[in-house]
């Protein structure tokens, strides 16, 4: 008697899981696995040990003082000869080049010019090809890259590096860029979120209070920037915001300013363009929450003696908090990943962290550093999300 | 009316597009009175309430509260307690905070607020629920919180907009009595909007029946039920048999359509020869074997405490009667030939219903 | 019942997966360019005539560079691109990494038929292009003559635009500071030289608008936003022709580089891809390209056969070659990462 209903209940659930399976497999294959692999790269360091397995093992054992012993040099020379013309050599050269600029060409040239005959004095022979082989920092770089795991990329993503003695130090000031980029990324995202909230809240309130016949076309208007291609939008902003653009022309004609303002190719342009693109992500959750609140709470509060402002602050605003939270989270997290817009309408100091992730992924194929930057961005986002979840839960509990 | 606590003076509300929501409303409400605005949806009852609350502005006429015109007074200065159809409780506040709200916006002292909230919670029998959130309460409990919140700042006037609409029947009936008791205990003036005539009859001191933006009748439940002034009221409040006809003479003899004459009481002066509708409450219909017009029993419908007997007169008119279940004689059976009669004073000659169709009314 | 349904779904899925490589095998020869006016010109002189002559249809695609893009495609075994136009640094690293098929130079007419910068084991030079100083003759009556003038804010007030990134920018800074073109990379290879370049950039930093897309310098000059630009010269000449604008190029100190045709390793259309490259670098075909695109031919004979009127607008014109610097690919392969980091740190300050 009891059994039958239970099996009847569970069987469709099993079928439902089966139906979800393709999507699950799809997202695992196209989303989860690549992300995990990308993040794993931030600590993997396989190139050197693949091209020079024995040398990598030996150089890792070297105490780091003076120059490595002859055994290391001999093994290196032997393995370099063997690696000549292989792809592995190029990967190792790329890896070492990100430790010391110029290492790539030095290594490839050394591989080309290394005499075939056995060498009596390997250190001297190498130093003859390039004096940098006689420097301790060259071998220290190889030791850092000997793998199979490294903290070098994560350190680099935080503007830190290991010096030749293996201690963690700051990178030279003229190269320290990632921490300030991360802060800048968070700051721009926060500013965009704040502007979106200030601009989007009244819009959502207006649309939520209008009858559907008027509200629906307005919602479509809100969504249009979302559906427009980045390129078209950006071009439109250039036309509007440039020196002789429409906005400057209008401001000058109205007498607000007598010189054209710099509205684009700087932070202002980035904020304007990003707010424009991300505004729908703020308006839509706000709208859906406000639609659920309706008119009654405000009317009730006023009938109970609250002036409109107090009624809004004490009754409406807290009830729309879920929409504010969702909207801010959506905008903020989307903004963190932006790079096309800042690249096209920003100035030299407006690049966000995704720009560098794309740069190291596509241009220089330093995927370790790209992975490390992604990991830092992911961690920062995750931390903020946890903080938000805590905050909203505790405020829901206390309010 | 000597005490004119609330006065609607020629109040008209026209919405954009020229729709008359309320037309020339004149109504006085006495201090301490329980007045119900009764009517179908779109009749103007809620709009009238909203104008009194201050959420709508009259297009013409004015509303007075305790002698003061309300025209320029915003809702938050009117000091009127209001219970909304959806309760409009604040979900992010506890029950106690909800009830304290009207006092905190008035910047009352903390101790005073605590006292008042406790009293209000006691009044609606929710003393143990102060720390809960509205979402954790049942519908009936939420309703009581809304009530307590509207009463806690001791308003002299309380408005209720279909407050029991969302409750099931049993709870609704219990709350009706409870609200009535609270009204009696606090002596507050109460304006209550509903489309449920039973609710209106149960609770009100007086009922104002609305239709198409105008008042049809104002009176005590007994007056409205027993002596409806219009055929609409007769139909909307309670049930009635209605027959179309022409008034024969001023004494009240009516020529019914289908060739049948009957005496009726005139609800108001109707010219001889004018069209009229005669309305008779079903419980006033007498069924016997020998006295009255011959009729055939067509259907017997069991309603628990009473029985509904549907009959057809020889004239073709359908007529129905309500009999207490124990009082139905055994010869009143399907297909039986009976005779039907009523007192002339129970048959009221009212305004003619347009397109009068007796048949339809029966179904 | 449900189990069999699930099995059937799985079978359908694997069938789809099986069919995908089959679909790839039947795909057309895919040629990937850089879009815009240059690809439009390629379509006219290469793609169409190639298909007309060989009956091999061509599928077009475009990209905006990046070795990582190519590496991902080759490593994933998902080679849906056959012929790609790559920049010199991509050619060099990609060649070392084995991303490209080797070129049979005999089939291409021999290495000697091409300018030396256009010859590689893995690619055949496609075009020679230039970054140079450009300005609007309608706005500047007395135009600048060198990069030094680019820094002269007194004589030429207004904003300038440079490509955002260290490449070209550091070379230009050094040349403006009096380093002769032939010495630029020697100086840049020293730390002091890099410092010198950044110090020089400091002097006009507030006056720089950075461009990222090749179309931007033309727009910025047109709107009067900037007085001078470091721009792709081909785009300036194209705007001169198409939009009737008086854009002018200073060849003195310009930087030229060669783009290459390569075939991705593992291409299923390898033979047709090589045939296409051969077709597109033959003198009679390549000589038609500069007239349309204002980019120089790499085949020496093609360069000679080209329209005489266009020749002075090309990187390969002898007078232009004499005063310009060839981009040092090895320098940038070695240093792009560090200098990009440093550039961005500097730009943000």
């Amino acid at each position: 008697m009891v059994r039958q209903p239970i099996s009847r209940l569970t069987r469709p659930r099993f079928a439902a899981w089966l139906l979800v399976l393709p999507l699950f497999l799809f997202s695992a294959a196209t989303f989860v696995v690549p992300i995990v692999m990308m993040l794993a790269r931030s600590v993997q360091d396989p190139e050197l040990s693949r091209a020079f397995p024995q040398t990598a093992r030996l150089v890792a054992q070297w105490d780091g003082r003076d120059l490595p012993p002859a055994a290391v040099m001999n093994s290196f020379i032997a393995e370099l000869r063997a690696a000549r013309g292989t792809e592995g050599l190029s990967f190792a050269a790329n890896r070492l080049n990100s430790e010391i600029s110029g290492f790539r060409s030095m290594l490839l040239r050394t591989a080309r010019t290394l005499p075939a005959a056995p060498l009596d004095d390997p250190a001297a022979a190498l130093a003859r090809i390039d004096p940098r082989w006689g420097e301790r920092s060259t071998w220290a770089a190889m030791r850092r890259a000997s793998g199979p795991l490294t903290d070098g990329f994560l350190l680099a993503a935080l503007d830190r590096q290991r010096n030749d003695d293996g201690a963690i130090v700051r990178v030279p000031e003229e190269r320290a860029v990632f921490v300030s980029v991360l802060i800048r990324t968070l700051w721009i995202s926060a500013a965009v979120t704040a502007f979106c909230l200030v601009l989007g809240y009244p819009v959502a309130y207006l649309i939520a209070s209008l009858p559907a016949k008027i509200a629906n076309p307005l919602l479509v208007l809100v969504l249009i920037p979302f559906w427009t291609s980045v390129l078209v939008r950006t071009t439109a902003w250039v036309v509007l915001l440039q020196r002789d653009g429409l906005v400057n022309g209008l401001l000058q004609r109205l007498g607000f300013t007598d010189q054209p303002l710099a509205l684009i190719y700087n932070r202002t342009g980035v904020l304007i363009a990003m707010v424009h693109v991300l505004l729908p992500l703020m308006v839509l959750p706000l709208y859906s929450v406000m639609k659920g609140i309706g008119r009654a709470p405000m009317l009730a509060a006023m009938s109970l003696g609250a002036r409109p402002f107090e009624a809004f602050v004490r009754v409406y605003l807290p009830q729309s908090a879920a929409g504010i939270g969702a909207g801010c989270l959506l905008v903020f997290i989307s903004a963190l990943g932006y790079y096309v817009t800042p690249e096209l309408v920003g100035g030299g100091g407006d690049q966000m962290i995704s720009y560098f992730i794309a740069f190291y992924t596509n241009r220089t194929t330093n995927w370790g550093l790209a992975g490390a930057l992604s990991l830092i961005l992911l961690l920062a986002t995750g931390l903020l999300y946890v903080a938000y979840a805590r905050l909203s839960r505790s405020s829901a509990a206390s309010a | 009316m000597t005490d004119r606590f609330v006065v609607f003076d020629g109040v008209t509300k026209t919405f954009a597009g020229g729709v008359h929501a309320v037309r020339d409303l004149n109504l006085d409400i006495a201090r301490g009175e329980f007045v119900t605005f009764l009517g179908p949806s779109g009749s103007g009852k809620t709009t009238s309430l909203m104008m009194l609350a201050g959420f709508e502005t009259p297009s013409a006429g004015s509303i007075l509260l305790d002698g003061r015109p309300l025209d320029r007074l915003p809702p938050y200065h009117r000091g009127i307690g209001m219970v909304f159809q959806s309760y409009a409780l604040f979900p992010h506040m506890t029950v106690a905070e909800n009830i304290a709200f009207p006092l905190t916006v008035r910047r009352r002292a903390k101790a005073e607020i605590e006292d008042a909230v406790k009293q209000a919670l006691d009044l609606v029998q929710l003393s143990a629920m102060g720390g809960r959130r509205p979402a954790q309460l049942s519908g009936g409990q939420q309703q009581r919180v809304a009530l307590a919140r509207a009463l806690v700042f001791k308003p002299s006037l309380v408005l209720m907009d279909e407050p029991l609409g969302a409750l099931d029947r049993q709870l609704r009936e219990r709350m009706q009595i409870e609200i009535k008791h609270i009204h009696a205990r606090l002596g507050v003036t109460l304006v209550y909007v509903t489309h449920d005539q039973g609710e209106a009859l149960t609770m009100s001191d007086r009922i104002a029946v609305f239709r198409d933006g105008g008042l049809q009748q104002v009176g005590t439940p007994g007056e409205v039920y027993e002596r409806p002034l219009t055929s609409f009221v007769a139909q909307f409040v309670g049930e009635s048999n209605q027959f179309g006809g022409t008034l024969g003479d001023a004494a009240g003899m009516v020529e019914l359509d289908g060739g049948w004459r009957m005496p009726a009481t005139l609800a108001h002066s109707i010219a001889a020869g004018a069209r009229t509708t005669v309305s008779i409450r079903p419980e006033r219909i007498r069924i016997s074997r020998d006295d009255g017009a011959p009729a055939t029993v067509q259907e017997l419908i069991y309603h628990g405490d009473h029985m509904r007997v549907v009959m057809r007169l020889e004239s073709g008119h359908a007529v129905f009667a309500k009999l207490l279940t124990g009082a139905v004689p055994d010869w009143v059976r399907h297909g039986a030939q009976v005779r039907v009669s009523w007192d002339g004073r129970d048959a009221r000659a009212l305004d003619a219903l347009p397109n009068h169709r007796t048949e339809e009314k029966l179904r | 019942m449900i189990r069999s349904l699930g099995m059937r779904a799985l079978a359908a899925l694997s069938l789809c997966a099986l069919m995908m490589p089959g679909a790839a095998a039947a795909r057309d020869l895919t040629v990937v360019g850089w879009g815009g006016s240059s690809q439009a010109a390629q379509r006219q002189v290469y793609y169409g005539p190639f298909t007309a002559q060989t009956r091999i249809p061509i599928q077009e695609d475009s990209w905006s560079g990046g070795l990582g893009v190519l590496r991902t495609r080759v490593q994933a075994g998902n080679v849906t691109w056959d012929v790609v136009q790559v920049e010199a640094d991509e050619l060099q690293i990609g060649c070392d990494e084995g991303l490209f098929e080797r070129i049979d130079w005999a089939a291409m007419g021999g290495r000697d038929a091409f300018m030396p910068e256009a010859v590689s084991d893995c690619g055949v030079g496609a075009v020679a292009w230039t970054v140079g100083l450009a300005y609007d003759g309608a706005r500047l009556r007395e135009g600048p003559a060198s990069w030094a003038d680019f820094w002269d804010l007194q004589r030429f007030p207004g904003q300038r635009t440079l490509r955002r990134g260290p490449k070209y920018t550091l070379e230009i800074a050094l040349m403006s500071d009096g380093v002769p073109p032939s010495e630029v990379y020697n100086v840049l290879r020293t730390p002091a030289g890099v410092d010198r370049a950044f110090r020089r950039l400091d002097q006009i930093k507030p006056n720089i608008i950075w461009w990222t897309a090749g179309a931007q310098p033309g727009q910025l000059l047109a709107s009067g936003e900037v007085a001078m630009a470091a721009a792709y010269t081909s785009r300036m000449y194209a705007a001169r022709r198409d939009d009737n604008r008086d854009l002018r190029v200073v060849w003195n100190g310009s930087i030229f580089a060669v783009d290459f045709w390569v075939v991705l390793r593992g291409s299923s259309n390898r033979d047709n891809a090589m045939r296409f490259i051969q077709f597109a670098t033959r003198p009679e075909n390549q000589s038609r390209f500069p007239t349309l695109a204002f980019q120089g031919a790499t085949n020496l004979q093609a360069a000679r056969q080209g329209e005489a009127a266009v020749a002075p607008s090309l990187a390969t014109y002898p007078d232009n070659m004499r005063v310009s610097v060839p981009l040092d690919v090895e320098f940038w392969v070695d240093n792009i990462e560090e200098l990009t980091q440093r550039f961005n740190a500097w730009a943000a300050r």
Side-chain angles (χ1 to χ4, degrees):
Chain A
M1 261 325 265
V2 179
R3 259 197 168 167
Q4 200 184 355
I6 286 177
S7 69
R8 226 186 256 162
L9 276 173
T10 50
R11 207 181 299 163
R13 204 180 292 167
F14 175 67
W17 279 110
L18 250 176
L19 287 172
V20 174
L21 196 65
L23 176 64
F24 177 78
L25 290 176
F26 174 78
S27 54
T30 61
F31 186 68
V32 180
V33 171
I35 281 185
V36 170
M37 280 171 61
M38 188 73 187
L39 295 181
R41 278 182 189 274
S42 64
V43 291
Q44 289 169 343
D45 200 359
E47 285 87 0
L48 200 62
S49 55
R50 237 177 243 159
F52 313 110
Q54 196 191 354
T55 312
R57 215 167 36 247
L58 291 174
V59 81
Q61 290 160 10
W62 167 49
D63 61 4
R65 261 176 284 152
D66 302 325
L67 282 181
V72 176
M73 302 271 189
N74 279 325
S75 145
F76 173 63
I77 288 171
E79 288 184 321
L80 187 59
R81 276 196 189 114
R84 199 181 304 184
T86 65
E87 302 153 19
L89 180 63
S90 177
F91 286 124
N94 264 1
R95 168 68 186 93
L96 290 167
N97 199 68
S98 69
E99 290 290 331
I100 299 177
S101 290
F103 210 131
R104 178 185 165 85
S105 57
M106 176 173 75
L107 187 68
L108 295 176
R109 192 168 50 251
T110 306
R112 274 197 303 274
T113 54
L114 203 57
L119 301 162
D120 308 332
D121 184 353
L126 283 172
R128 259 198 309 281
I129 295 170
D130 195 307
R132 281 174 287 178
W133 289 117
E135 289 168 15
R136 174 173 161 248
S137 58
T138 303
W139 296 96
M142 285 183 64
R143 192 169 68 150
R144 286 196 294 272
S146 61
L149 295 178
T150 182
D151 56 4
F153 298 122
L154 286 169
L155 289 174
L158 296 167
D159 292 337
R160 301 291 187 279
Q161 63 186 19
R162 286 189 184 274
N163 63 13
D164 294 348
D165 298 321
I168 295 173
V169 294
R170 290 169 160 277
V171 301
E173 200 216 340
E174 75 265 10
R175 279 180 61 191
V177 64
F178 297 125
V179 170
S180 65
V181 165
L182 181 66
I183 292 170
R184 182 194 306 155
T185 303
L186 295 174
W187 193 91
I188 291 179
S189 302
V192 167
T193 308
F195 281 122
C196 279
L197 181 60
V198 168
L199 294 175
Y201 197 95
V203 174
Y205 184 84
L206 176 72
I207 297 178
S209 60
L210 287 172
K213 209 171 66 184
I214 308 169
N216 288 342
L218 284 179
L219 269 180
V220 172
L221 285 183
V222 167
L223 277 168
I224 282 178
F226 213 58
W227 293 331
T228 320
S229 93
V230 181
L231 228 57
V232 172
R233 267 187 330 236
T234 312
T235 314
W237 280 119
V238 171
V239 171
L240 284 170
L241 298 178
Q242 64 190 4
R243 253 176 83 85
D244 297 341
L246 291 173
V247 173
N248 264 322
L250 197 69
L251 288 177
Q252 280 169 286
R253 210 163 315 134
L254 294 177
F256 285 112
T257 168
D258 28 300
Q259 277 198 340
L261 301 174
L263 298 172
I264 197 165
Y265 308 122
N266 54 22
R267 189 63 59 85
T268 313
V270 172
L271 291 178
I272 291 175
M274 284 182 69
V275 166
H276 176 237
V277 177
L278 292 171
L279 200 54
L281 290 186
M282 181 64 83
V283 172
L284 291 181
L286 278 175
Y287 167 77
S288 72
V289 168
M290 286 173 173
K291 198 79 198 155
I293 299 174
R295 244 163 65 94
M298 277 296 274
L299 296 187
M302 285 199 279
S303 82
L304 295 170
R307 286 161 181 275
F309 180 74
E310 188 172 6
F312 174 77
V313 170
R314 288 190 55 192
V315 173
Y316 199 87
L317 199 59
Q319 288 193 58
S320 62
I324 296 176
C328 287
L329 209 61
L330 268 177
V331 171
F332 185 80
I333 289 178
S334 307
L336 284 179
Y338 260 59
Y339 81 95
V340 175
T341 309
E343 178 163 349
L344 291 176
V345 299
D350 299 317
Q351 299 318 303
M352 294 169 70
I353 202 160
S354 309
Y355 167 83
F356 289 89
I357 295 175
F359 174 78
Y360 287 109
T361 308
N362 288 333
R363 297 282 156 187
T364 72
T365 62
N366 184 349
W367 288 353
L369 189 49
L373 289 170
S374 310
L375 185 65
I376 301 270
L377 180 62
L378 190 68
L379 285 180
T381 312
L383 278 178
L384 281 165
Y385 178 75
V386 169
Y388 161 78
R390 282 268 169 83
L391 212 72
S392 67
R393 207 177 320 137
S394 71
S395 76
S398 71
Chain B
M1 200 72 47
T2 47
D3 183 9
R4 305 174 75 201
F5 185 56
V6 176
V7 178
F8 285 90
D9 183 11
V11 172
T12 294
K13 177 68 185 177
T14 315
F15 284 118
V19 182
H20 285 285
V22 176
R23 232 178 313 213
D24 193 25
L25 173 66
N26 291 289
L27 177 67
D28 292 353
I29 297 170
R31 196 183 298 272
E33 201 176 11
F34 192 135
V35 172
T36 299
F37 290 180
L38 176 67
S41 61
S43 61
K45 59 187 193 303
T46 299
T47 306
S48 302
L49 193 80
M50 288 298 167
M51 286 191 284
L52 180 52
F55 299 129
E56 299 282 2
T57 320
S59 313
S62 65
I63 304 174
L64 284 82
L65 175 62
D66 207 6
R68 260 192 323 166
L70 292 179
D71 303 356
R72 296 187 187 286
L73 210 57
Y76 42 92
H77 283 156
R78 294 192 179 188
I80 299 174
M82 183 150 178
V83 178
F84 289 81
Q85 192 170 8
S86 57
Y87 315 143
L89 296 180
F90 308 141
H92 58 294
M93 299 183 190
T94 63
V95 166
E97 284 165 347
N98 262 284
I99 296 174
F101 185 85
L103 302 175
T104 52
V105 298
R106 287 174 172 78
R107 312 280 179 254
R108 296 280 166 76
K110 212 173 158 201
E112 185 191 344
I113 293 177
E114 275 173 22
D115 258 21
V117 169
K118 196 177 163 314
Q119 276 180 29
L121 281 170
D122 288 344
L123 182 72
V124 295
Q125 298 158 38
L126 286 176
S127 311
M129 305 286 182
R132 300 229 187 144
R133 302 230 167 207
Q136 296 167 306
L137 303 182
S138 71
Q141 288 169 329
Q142 292 185 21
Q143 217 290 318
R144 287 163 204 242
V145 176
L147 191 60
R149 190 178 65 176
L151 292 169
V152 70
F153 61 104
K154 303 199 162 41
S156 48
L157 175 62
V158 173
L159 312 182
M160 299 194 182
D161 183 13
E162 310 226 13
L164 306 180
L167 303 181
D168 63 53
R169 205 181 116 99
Q170 275 200 326
L171 196 54
R172 196 159 67 223
E173 284 172 1
R174 229 177 60 212
M175 286 303 298
Q176 287 169 7
I177 304 301
E178 216 167 293
I179 291 173
K180 190 139 180 62
H181 287 170
I182 287 171
H183 169 250
R185 179 130 50 103
L186 301 181
V188 68
T189 309
L190 221 155
V191 179
Y192 191 101
V193 164
T194 185
H195 64 269
D196 180 335
Q197 46 95 16
E199 202 163 284
L201 293 173
T202 311
M203 302 174 77
S204 324
D205 294 331
R206 279 195 304 152
I207 298 173
V209 185
F210 280 74
R211 185 196 189 193
D212 294 342
L215 269 184
Q216 291 269 310
Q217 184 171 1
V218 182
T220 64
E223 284 167 356
V224 170
Y225 187 81
E226 301 292 345
R227 294 193 291 284
L229 287 180
T230 68
S231 46
F232 171 78
V233 174
Q235 195 179 344
F236 193 76
V237 182
E239 292 176 301
S240 47
N241 291 291
Q242 296 198 325
F243 307 104
T246 312
L247 195 67
D249 57 38
M253 195 53 79
V254 180
E255 302 275 352
L256 290 187
D257 304 339
W260 183 33
R261 286 162 58 90
M262 62 185 274
T265 309
L266 293 181
H268 42 86
S269 62
I270 303 172
R275 291 289 298 167
T276 181
T277 299
V278 176
S279 170
I280 309 148
R281 295 288 182 198
E283 63 272 23
R284 303 291 183 184
I285 305 279
R286 287 193 299 262
I287 306 177
S288 68
R289 274 198 270 216
D290 44 16
D291 178 27
T296 312
V297 176
Q298 290 198 310
E299 206 173 1
L300 284 156
I301 303 162
Y302 182 69
H303 278 270
D305 59 338
H306 73 269
M307 198 81 136
R308 181 175 297 228
V309 185
V310 183
M311 296 156 289
R312 187 168 294 277
L313 299 170
E314 279 179 340
S315 61
H317 288 104
V319 62
F320 74 105
K322 270 193 211 169
L323 276 71
L324 286 178
T325 301
V328 181
D330 56 358
W331 43 265
V332 177
R333 282 192 303 268
H334 183 79
Q337 293 296 319
V338 296
R339 283 174 183 268
V340 174
S341 62
W342 54 79
D343 276 355
R345 62 170 189 277
D346 290 335
R348 292 177 63 78
L350 307 168
D351 55 315
L353 280 175
N355 258 340
H356 190 98
R357 278 150 77 182
T358 315
E359 296 293 329
E360 207 159 282
K361 170 71 188 154
L362 277 174
R363 248 173 256 142
Chain C
M1 178 62 203
I2 280 154
R3 173 174 287 225
S4 72
L5 200 77
M7 294 303 273
R8 232 177 288 166
L10 275 176
L13 261 176
S14 42
L15 202 69
C16 287
L18 279 172
M19 277 165 64
M20 255 152 15
R27 109 199 124 70
D28 288 340
L29 177 67
T30 305
V31 179
V32 185
W34 288 67
S37 58
S38 101
Q39 194 157 2
Q42 288 180 0
R43 189 173 307 133
Q44 204 174 328
V45 299
Y46 300 149
Y47 307 166
F50 177 75
T51 304
Q53 203 178 86
T54 61
R55 308 239 157 261
I56 299 169
I58 284 181
Q59 173 77 40
E60 266 187 60
D61 207 342
S62 67
W63 74 319
S64 51
L67 186 70
V69 179
L70 303 178
R71 194 203 258 184
T72 318
R73 283 175 177 268
V74 173
Q75 284 184 354
N78 175 28
V79 182
T80 53
W81 287 356
D82 302 304
V83 181
V84 184
Q85 182 183 343
V86 301
E87 287 190 290
D89 50 346
E90 288 150 359
L91 174 84
Q92 180 163 337
I93 303 180
C95 192
D96 288 340
E97 289 189 3
L99 298 181
F100 309 134
E101 298 281 349
R102 302 267 146 175
I103 300 292
D104 174 7
W105 276 97
M108 298 295 162
R111 293 178 186 245
D112 295 343
F114 292 83
M115 59 194 285
E117 290 88 350
V119 177
S120 151
D121 288 348
C122 299
V124 183
V127 290
W129 52 269
T130 309
V131 170
L133 202 174
Y135 64 97
D136 190 341
R139 290 180 198 262
L140 287 185
R141 191 64 54 80
E142 194 118 330
S146 69
W147 292 115
D149 290 343
F150 197 85
W151 258 252
D152 192 338
L153 295 170
Q154 254 77 54
R155 271 180 63 209
F156 304 101
Q159 305 287 99
R160 284 95 170 95
T161 185
L162 287 162
R163 180 177 169 276
R164 185 160 62 222
K167 213 197 245 183
Y168 319 138
T169 305
L170 296 183
E171 290 99 319
I172 288 169
L174 287 181
M175 285 190 276
S176 81
D177 206 18
V179 176
S182 56
E183 282 301 304
V184 161
Y185 289 102
N186 289 338
V187 176
L188 261 189
R189 279 193 161 86
T190 64
V194 175
D195 289 346
R196 180 176 169 187
F198 278 109
R199 270 202 311 277
R200 182 69 171 156
L201 282 169
D202 277 333
Q203 295 171 11
I204 57 164
K205 193 178 180 185
N207 292 67
I208 302 177
I209 290 174
W210 300 103
W211 59 264
T212 50
Q216 280 175 302
Q219 291 161 4
L220 290 166
L221 284 170
S223 67
E225 195 110 8
V226 299
M228 287 182 248
Y232 294 122
T233 54
S234 57
R235 296 213 183 231
M236 300 298 109
Y237 287 108
R240 231 180 132 101
R241 175 192 61 197
D242 300 339
D243 307 334
N244 202 21
R245 303 236 322 275
D246 189 15
L247 294 183
R248 298 186 189 175
V249 170
V250 177
W251 286 91
N252 189 10
S254 62
I255 300 163
F256 86 91
V258 173
D259 274 6
F260 290 79
W261 294 117
V262 298
V263 177
L264 290 194
R265 197 181 68 190
S267 154
S268 54
N269 291 321
R270 186 186 167 281
D271 293 344
N272 286 342
M274 289 295 178
R275 266 178 89 181
F276 172 79
I277 295 179
Q278 189 195 9
F279 180 90
T281 53
R282 250 192 315 231
E284 66 270 26
N285 297 324
Q286 209 192 44
S287 62
R288 296 172 55 208
F289 186 69
T291 315
L292 291 173
F294 298 102
Q295 292 175 332
T298 54
N299 185 304
L300 296 172
Q301 212 181 325
R304 278 193 296 275
Q305 285 176 6
E307 209 176 302
V310 182
S313 351
L314 301 178
T316 45
Y317 189 61
D319 286 355
N320 296 343
M321 285 284 242
R322 230 188 341 271
V323 294
S324 63
V325 203
L327 187 79
D328 188 329
V329 179
E330 189 187 80
F331 173 82
W332 282 117
V333 167
D334 275 348
N335 293 288
I336 186 71
E337 214 170 274
E338 178 181 347
L339 290 179
T340 299
Q341 244 180 59
R342 176 151 178 191
F343 174 84
N344 279 295
W346 169 84
R349 262 199 293 277

